[in-house]
């Protein structure tokens, strides 16, 4: 720190940026790149493994097969590890959504990067206000804001590179070994995130040598210790990368990238595309960088070595990615590969802000650029960029040149057409329905953070104020994620599955469209394979759970949860232990004739409002094969027999009719029973049974002695209000 005000201002800045990112949180995947990295995190958090078999249905779109036949992500290990703490917490809590919790990772990373921008400018002796405004411009007026909501690797790369830069400058000022060690660690983080960040490494190393020469001249012996300390984390990162490559692909030098993924674009075409093309030009997506470009000479006159590093970091990335076959990074908002250099470019805003404070005309121009830049970031966040891409690719074909180089097809123009309530890509406005509690929570946290920053500015901040602010941020994020936690059939099925699983079992998730929802809600520890059929699971197991629309083979246990079926296949042929059911089995198990017994019943509510839905579940065990296809019924009736609600259906929506039941099979189903809106208030019985639809004859319930006790069974009671 360069002064007493810097610590509270830095913490206040972090709070403001993170609270804004939380307010504009999306919490869903936008790209297969995100899915690939988080699938690796998922495997690591659940099982201590590194594969991405969850995405096996995707093939080699985002992964490559290792010598062991398993699918592995081609991405670097950095983002996978960065998302691990939040993913692990979500799995332990069983309340927080797993994917959404992990998607907060880049919000924390980008806010921390904004803090480094502020602190670095303070070390370059810019005023608090200039440093603060430049950091806020980075966090809210560049693509850093939209990318704080995604789980791409560029934000972490930017943090690592900026961390290396900041601690090198701190080493210049303090000459302490800790600074140079932290500087090397920052570069190591960038290399772990993506090995291509090595293009900036020579320039960071050169800056260290410049500082050593200024301090020690040609006393080479005194250079040795700082150089070694700087290089150790870098070597460690390279060693970890080699180990990770060997683990996945059998060779430390093999990254898994395919032969067609290569440098194949004419250089100047890619360079123009990255800078000024209407589809992906960085200056169109970040107009504020025009001011940074103009102001860079002023930065160079004041801090030559540091300004040259800024220029080298930016230009090296442009030169490196311009000839890449997908120089625009495929499915993304703007030129994604350049997100990592945004904090470097933001440093050049400091002299522009200084000049604007002295000249009214410059202030107006700079203010206009900032407003336009902020508006573009809001446009990018408000609507999922995939809406544009899916429509335009259907019209022109995948990655048609017109989408990159023709003004009429620019996403910046086309995105406006999608601005409708039902298209909002905000967690608190999903599907056009506003969650006011989540929205007000987010607004409250943002206002509190702004107030804390204001208190820090006026030197009124206290330790307890800062502590309370971060506790509120934590609680607010926790509350928001609870509000955003998904429900529905996949959630209920994943919850039931986690309660029934045992060691040695695996999951075959046969519906790719459910991948994100299942990953978000499943808190179990089984190995999940995303495959088209259970037969494609290539793993040793004691039993397999097929999760999908329904497996065609008769299973030892079948559970229907809305549109989701769980089918249990034991390798040994043993039936599922009834004690593993997601509800407590009945002590007395009544029978329906001699063919089936009720082993468990579960009702989610004891009270329900008229016009709402009552959730309940029944679990049956077949005692003998049945030649008749019976229909299940569940009713809510009062003492006089008047019905408040009723549902009749074949088991598993007809997907597992009683004629397919074998002796010992378990069949369960969850029902959502609609209560009539005109139902009279009072206490009702929940009853169930089965009947033959062709003859309308009911199966008779029998007690433990085999004596008939009626055509329906009372399962419990519910108060209708």
């Amino acid at each position: 720190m360069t002064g007493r005000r810097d610590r509270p201002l830095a913490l206040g800045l972090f709070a403001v940026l993170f609270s804004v990112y939380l307010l504009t949180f999306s919490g869903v995947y936008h790209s297969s790149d995100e899915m690939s990295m988080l699938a690796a995190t998922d495997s690591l958090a659940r099982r201590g493994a590194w594969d991405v078999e969850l995405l096996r249905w995707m093939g080699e779109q985002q992964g490559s097969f290792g010598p062991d036949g398993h699918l592995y992500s081609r991405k670097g290990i950095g983002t996978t590890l960065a998302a691990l703490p939040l993913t692990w917490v979500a799995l332990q809590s069983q309340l927080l959504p797993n994917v959404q919790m992990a998607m907060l990772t880049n919000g924390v990373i980008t806010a921390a990067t904004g803090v480094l921008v502020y602190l670095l400018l303070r070390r370059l002796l810019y005023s608090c206000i200039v440093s603060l405004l430049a950091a806020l411009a980075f966090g809210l007026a560049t693509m850093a804001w939209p990318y704080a909501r995604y789980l791409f690797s560029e934000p972490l790369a930017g943090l690592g590179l900026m961390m290396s830069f900041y601690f090198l400058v701190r080493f210049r000022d303090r000459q302490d070994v800790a600074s140079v060690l932290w500087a090397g660690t920052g570069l190591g983080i960038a290399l772990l995130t993506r090995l291509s960040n090595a293009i900036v490494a020579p320039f960071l190393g050169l800056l260290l040598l410049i500082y050593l020469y200024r301090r020690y001249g040609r006393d080479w012996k005194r250079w040795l210790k700082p150089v070694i300390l700087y290089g150790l984390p870098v070597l460690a990162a390279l060693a970890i990368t080699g180990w990770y490559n060997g683990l996945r692909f059998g060779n430390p030098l093999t990254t898994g990238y395919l032969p067609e993924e290569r440098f194949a674009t004419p250089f100047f075409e890619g360079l123009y595309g990255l800078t000024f093309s209407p589809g992906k030009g960085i200056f169109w997506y970040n107009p504020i960088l025009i001011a940074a470009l103009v102001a860079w000479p002023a930065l160079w006159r004041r801090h030559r070595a540091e300004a040259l590093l800024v220029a080298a970091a930016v230009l090296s990335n442009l030169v490196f990615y311009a000839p890449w076959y997908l120089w625009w990074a495929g499915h993304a908002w703007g030129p994604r590969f350049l997100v990592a250099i945004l904090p470097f470019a933001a440093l050049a805003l400091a002299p522009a802000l200084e000049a604007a404070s002295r000249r009214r005309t410059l202030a107006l121009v700079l203010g206009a650029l900032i407003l336009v830049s902020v508006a573009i970031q809001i446009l990018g966040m408000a609507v999922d960029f995939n809406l544009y891409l899916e429509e335009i690719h259907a019209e022109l074909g995948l990655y048609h040149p017109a989408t990159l180089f023709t003004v009429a097809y620019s996403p910046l123009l086309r995105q406006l057409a999608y601005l409708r309530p039902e298209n909002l890509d905000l967690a608190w406005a999903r599907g056009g329905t506003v969650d006011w509690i989540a929205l007000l929570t987010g607004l409250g946290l943002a206002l509190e953070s702004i107030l804390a920053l204001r208190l820090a500015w006026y030197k009124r901040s206290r330790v307890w104020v800062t502590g309370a602010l971060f506790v509120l941020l934590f609680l607010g994020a926790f509350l928001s994620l609870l509000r955003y936690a998904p429900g529905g059939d996949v959630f209920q099925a994943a919850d039931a599955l986690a309660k029934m699983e045992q060691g040695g079992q695996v999951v075959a998730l046969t519906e790719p469209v459910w991948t994100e929802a299942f990953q978000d809600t499943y808190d179990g520890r089984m190995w999940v394979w995303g495959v088209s059929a259970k037969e494609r699971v290539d793993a040793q197991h004691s039993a397999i759970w097929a999760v999908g629309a329904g497996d065609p083979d008769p299973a030892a246990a079948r559970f229907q949860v809305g549109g989701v079926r769980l089918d249990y296949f034991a390798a040994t042929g043993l039936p599922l232990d009834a004690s593993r059911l997601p509800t407590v089995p009945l002590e007395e198990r009544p029978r329906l004739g001699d063919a089936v017994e009720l082993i468990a019943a579960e009702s989610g509510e004891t009270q329900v409002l008229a016009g709402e839905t009552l959730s309940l579940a029944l679990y049956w065990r077949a005692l003998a094969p049945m030649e008749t296809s019976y229909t299940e019924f569940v009713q809510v009736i009062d003492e006089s027999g008047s019905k408040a609600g009723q549902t009749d259906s074949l088991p598993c929506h007809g997907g597992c009719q009683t004629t397919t039941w074998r002796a010992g099979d378990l069949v369960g189903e969850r029902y959502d029973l609609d209560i009539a809106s005109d139902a009279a208030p009072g206490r009702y019985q929940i009853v169930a049974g089965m009947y033959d639809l062709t003859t309308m004859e009911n199966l008779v319930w029998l007690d433990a002695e085999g004596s008939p006790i009626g055509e329906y069974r009372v399962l419990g009671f519910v108060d209708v209000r």
Side-chain angles (χ1 to χ4, degrees):
M1 305 297 173
T2 59
R4 292 184 178 181
R5 298 181 66 188
D6 289 322
R7 187 183 299 273
L9 282 174
L11 293 175
L13 171 65
F14 178 91
V16 168
L17 291 177
F18 180 73
S19 63
V20 172
Y21 300 154
L22 183 62
L23 178 62
T24 55
F25 181 64
S26 173
V28 297
Y29 286 132
H30 295 78
S31 168
S32 58
D33 290 63
E34 298 171 288
M35 297 178 72
S36 176
M37 288 182 286
L38 194 50
T41 301
D42 188 271
S43 295
L44 186 58
R46 293 185 199 276
R47 304 179 287 108
W50 297 94
D51 63 83
V52 292
E53 293 293 2
L54 174 65
L55 304 179
R56 196 176 182 92
W57 57 269
M58 199 179 288
E60 291 189 322
Q61 179 182 341
Q62 285 295 340
S64 295
F65 292 97
D68 58 2
H70 292 308
L71 187 67
Y72 295 94
S73 172
R74 291 194 290 269
K75 308 301 180 184
I77 196 175
T79 304
T80 290
L81 294 178
L84 183 62
L86 292 177
T87 302
W88 185 86
V89 169
L91 287 173
Q92 304 309 310
S93 72
Q94 298 184 345
L95 292 174
L96 297 169
N98 306 322
V99 172
Q100 294 189 45
M101 187 73 167
M103 295 293 277
L104 283 175
T105 301
N106 273 347
V108 176
I109 286 171
T110 307
T113 306
V115 170
L116 286 177
V117 170
Y118 168 79
L119 294 176
L120 182 51
L121 287 173
R122 291 291 291 129
R123 289 208 166 269
L124 296 179
L125 301 182
Y126 286 97
S127 67
C128 287
I129 186 63
V130 165
S131 303
L132 196 59
L133 290 176
L136 288 170
F138 157 76
L140 301 176
T142 73
M143 291 191 306
W145 189 357
Y147 278 87
R149 305 168 352 118
Y150 311 143
L151 199 65
F152 291 108
S153 60
E154 283 75 16
L156 182 59
L159 174 67
L161 294 174
M162 183 56 56
M163 177 179 170
S164 184
F165 190 9
Y166 168 72
F167 280 103
L168 284 176
V169 176
R170 197 179 81 160
F171 173 73
R172 177 202 68 180
D173 297 340
R174 297 172 51 172
Q175 297 298 310
D176 60 323
V177 293
S179 292
V180 76
L181 186 62
W182 279 111
T185 301
L187 179 55
I189 290 171
L191 295 176
L192 288 175
T193 304
R194 178 175 286 175
L195 200 57
S196 60
N197 290 306
I199 57 178
V200 184
F203 307 111
L204 289 167
L206 182 59
L207 184 65
L208 173 61
L209 297 180
I210 290 173
Y211 291 158
L212 290 173
Y213 184 79
R214 288 178 181 177
R215 181 73 176 181
Y216 303 122
R218 297 185 180 182
D219 188 357
W220 312 117
K221 292 182 179 179
R222 303 188 68 178
W223 291 39
L224 189 60
K225 184 176 181 181
V227 169
I228 291 175
L229 290 175
Y230 184 73
L232 283 177
V234 176
L235 292 176
L238 294 175
I240 292 171
T241 300
W243 166 81
Y244 189 45
N245 288 340
L247 176 74
R248 295 178 295 172
F249 308 121
N251 188 325
L253 301 179
T254 300
T255 62
Y257 278 89
L258 303 176
E260 58 267 26
E261 297 177 300
R262 63 189 191 278
F263 296 95
T265 301
F267 176 77
F268 288 105
E269 176 184 318
L271 184 63
Y272 166 70
L274 287 171
T275 51
F276 293 105
S277 69
K280 293 293 181 178
I282 190 171
F283 290 107
W284 293 110
Y285 285 85
N286 309 269
I288 189 65
L289 296 187
I290 297 173
L293 180 63
V294 173
W296 180 86
L299 180 68
W300 180 78
R301 288 192 294 270
R302 187 167 172 177
H303 304 284
R304 296 200 171 187
E306 293 76 16
L308 287 174
L309 176 62
V310 168
V314 173
L315 292 175
S316 61
N317 275 267
L318 287 170
V319 170
F320 181 82
Y321 288 110
W324 185 243
Y325 82 110
L326 286 180
W327 51 264
W328 61 92
H331 272 56
W333 174 251
R336 173 167 63 87
F337 289 143
L338 302 186
V339 169
I341 64 171
L342 291 176
F344 287 86
L347 296 173
L349 290 173
L353 290 165
E354 273 192 340
S357 68
R358 298 188 296 267
R359 298 178 61 180
R360 181 178 178 83
T361 302
L362 284 178
L364 292 174
V365 172
L366 188 59
L369 280 175
I370 290 174
L371 289 176
V372 172
S373 291
V374 171
I376 288 174
Q377 310 321 315
I378 293 174
L379 179 65
M381 290 181 304
V383 179
D384 185 352
F385 58 77
N386 284 293
L387 293 178
Y388 159 80
L389 291 176
E390 289 168 4
E391 181 176 317
I392 208 69
H393 291 160
E395 177 184 346
L396 300 177
L398 185 65
Y399 302 143
H400 192 281
T403 65
L404 305 172
F405 299 110
T406 302
V407 173
Y409 289 103
S410 171
L412 294 173
L413 299 177
R414 290 295 186 102
Q415 193 85 337
L416 291 169
Y418 300 101
L419 277 177
R420 296 189 296 272
E422 64 271 20
N423 290 339
L424 290 179
D425 189 26
L426 300 165
W428 50 263
R430 191 73 64 209
T433 301
V434 176
D435 184 335
W436 289 103
I437 294 178
L439 173 58
L440 293 175
T441 299
L443 287 172
L445 290 173
L447 291 174
E448 286 178 325
S449 299
I450 293 171
L451 176 60
L453 184 59
R454 186 175 184 275
L455 290 174
W457 179 258
Y458 288 106
K459 304 178 184 179
R460 297 175 182 173
S461 183
R462 298 291 185 270
V463 173
W464 68 268
V465 173
T466 304
L469 173 64
F470 278 86
V471 169
L472 287 173
L473 281 174
F474 171 80
L475 293 177
F478 182 82
L479 174 62
S480 297
L481 288 173
L482 288 179
R483 300 291 303 180
Y484 302 151
D489 299 344
V490 175
F491 164 74
Q492 293 181 346
D495 182 61
L497 182 61
K499 295 174 181 176
M500 292 189 289
E501 69 180 42
Q502 288 182 284
Q505 300 175 350
V506 297
V507 177
L509 182 62
T510 60
E511 298 290 335
V513 71
W514 294 345
T515 299
E516 181 177 355
F518 186 82
Q519 185 183 5
D520 205 17
T521 57
Y522 174 60
D523 289 323
R525 297 298 183 269
M526 285 190 289
W527 192 355
V528 183
W529 288 60
V531 290
S532 57
K534 65 181 183 298
E535 290 78 14
R536 299 198 62 186
V537 173
D538 182 19
Q540 296 296 320
H541 55 80
S542 60
I544 188 169
W545 288 92
V547 180
D551 197 276
D553 296 333
R558 286 166 277 185
F559 303 98
Q560 190 76 34
V561 183
V564 182
R565 257 267 294 285
L566 307 177
D567 293 286
Y568 174 81
F569 299 91
T572 58
L574 295 176
L576 179 69
D577 185 357
S579 66
R580 304 298 304 180
L581 292 176
T583 189
V584 179
L586 298 171
E587 293 184 7
E588 178 189 351
R589 298 180 180 178
R591 290 179 293 155
L592 273 171
D594 295 320
V596 63
E597 66 177 350
L598 181 67
I599 59 173
E602 177 186 11
S603 176
E605 301 92 6
T606 58
Q607 293 182 342
V608 65
L609 292 175
E612 293 192 345
T613 299
L614 175 67
S615 295
L616 52 96
L618 301 179
Y619 300 90
W620 312 90
R621 185 192 296 278
L623 301 175
M626 288 175 276
E627 297 181 356
T628 302
S629 177
Y630 288 102
T631 299
E632 301 171 327
F633 70 85
V634 182
Q635 300 174 352
V636 176
I637 61 175
D638 62 14
E639 293 181 354
S640 66
S642 298
K643 298 176 185 176
Q646 177 175 345
T647 181
D648 296 66
S649 65
L650 294 172
C652 305
H653 302 313
C656 52
Q657 299 182 38
T658 56
T659 53
T660 67
W661 295 13
R662 303 164 302 180
D665 283 358
L666 277 172
V667 177
E669 188 159 6
R670 186 173 294 277
Y671 304 90
D672 289 323
L673 196 153
D674 294 328
I675 304 298
S677 58
D678 58 353
R683 188 170 179 79
Y684 287 76
Q685 296 176 331
I686 303 173
V687 302
M690 290 186 183
Y691 63 91
D692 182 352
L693 185 61
T694 58
T695 65
M696 299 305 293
E697 292 183 1
N698 285 48
L699 273 175
V700 178
W701 287 93
L702 306 177
D703 62 15
E705 287 74 30
S707 301
I709 56 175
E711 295 183 343
Y712 62 81
R713 172 82 179 186
V714 178
L715 306 178
F717 299 89
V718 63
D719 292 324
V720 175
R721 298 190 297 170

